[in-house]
Each structure stands twice: as C-alpha cells, then as structure tokens.
Amino acid sequence: MSSFAKRLKEARLQAGLSQERLGVLAGIDEMSASARMNQYERGKHMPDISMVERLADVLKVPVAYFYIAEDDVASMLVGLYRLPQSERRQVAQLIAQYGEKK
C-alpha cells in the first residue's frame, strides 16, 4: 500500500467519514464517489493534485500529509497544521532552538 493510500484511509477514518461521503464532499459525483475513493485507498489509482487538495481540505490535513512515509512526522505535521498561526510560530521557534543545540 502506498503512503498516499494509507494516509487517506487513516485521515478518512479519523474524520468519521464513509468513502462515499468523503468523495461527495470533495466534489465527486455521488454515483461514483464510493468507488473512486475505494480505488484511491487501495492504491489502484492516484488522484490528480487538485483532487488531493480538495481531499486535504475536507479532511483538514495538509497536502504533504499524504506523501510522508514516517508515521511520527505525519502525525506531527497534522498537529502543527491544526494549530492557530500564532502557536505554529511558537512551535517553529522551539524547533529552531532545539536544532541549534545540536
């Protein structure tokens, strides 16, 4: 299973959405939404970047989340993405300070 397929399924389940509902919310016709999402989650087909952007928007994750291989980094990225901008800056400063210590 590709990183994309794995992350898509994880994010969908975490959001509590069915494949069909996610597809419809991302702009896929209701008649084919479930089948297309199933193909994406199985890694049979890969959506184009505009569809990935719509899926990310619905799932409230950054687009990069779908392509990160490391689970811990993907989890941190989602956490950071969901923070208010002011808190993101604070986390970025902490990370920069931590990197300087090494």
Side-chain angles (χ1 to χ4, degrees):
M1 180 182 287
S2 70
S3 291
F4 179 86
K6 176 183 173 185
R7 298 268 176 254
L8 178 60
K9 185 173 184 175
E10 288 173 355
R12 178 182 63 77
L13 292 174
Q14 187 175 35
L17 297 172
S18 67
Q19 289 178 334
E20 180 181 15
R21 185 69 181 142
L22 174 57
V24 169
L25 291 173
I28 300 172
D29 180 75
E30 193 171 341
M31 297 300 289
S32 60
S34 182
R36 279 188 53 194
M37 294 308 302
N38 184 271
Q39 290 176 345
Y40 296 157
E41 285 187 10
R42 288 187 334 198
K44 185 171 182 176
H45 292 287
M46 186 68 181
D48 63 25
I49 190 65
S50 67
M51 176 56 69
V52 175
E53 290 169 345
R54 292 193 310 263
L55 291 168
D57 185 53
V58 171
L59 295 168
K60 296 178 179 40
V61 298
V63 170
Y65 167 79
F66 294 115
Y67 302 101
I68 296 173
E70 300 85 0
D71 292 338
D72 59 340
V73 177
S75 178
M76 287 187 281
L77 181 61
V78 170
L80 183 62
Y81 179 80
R82 291 178 177 167
L83 288 175
Q85 190 64 37
S86 61
E87 292 180 26
R88 284 187 197 180
R89 283 192 290 275
Q90 291 174 342
V91 172
Q93 289 172 347
L94 288 171
I95 291 170
Q97 290 171 358
Y98 183 77
E100 292 171 1
K101 292 179 184 179
K102 292 201 172 227

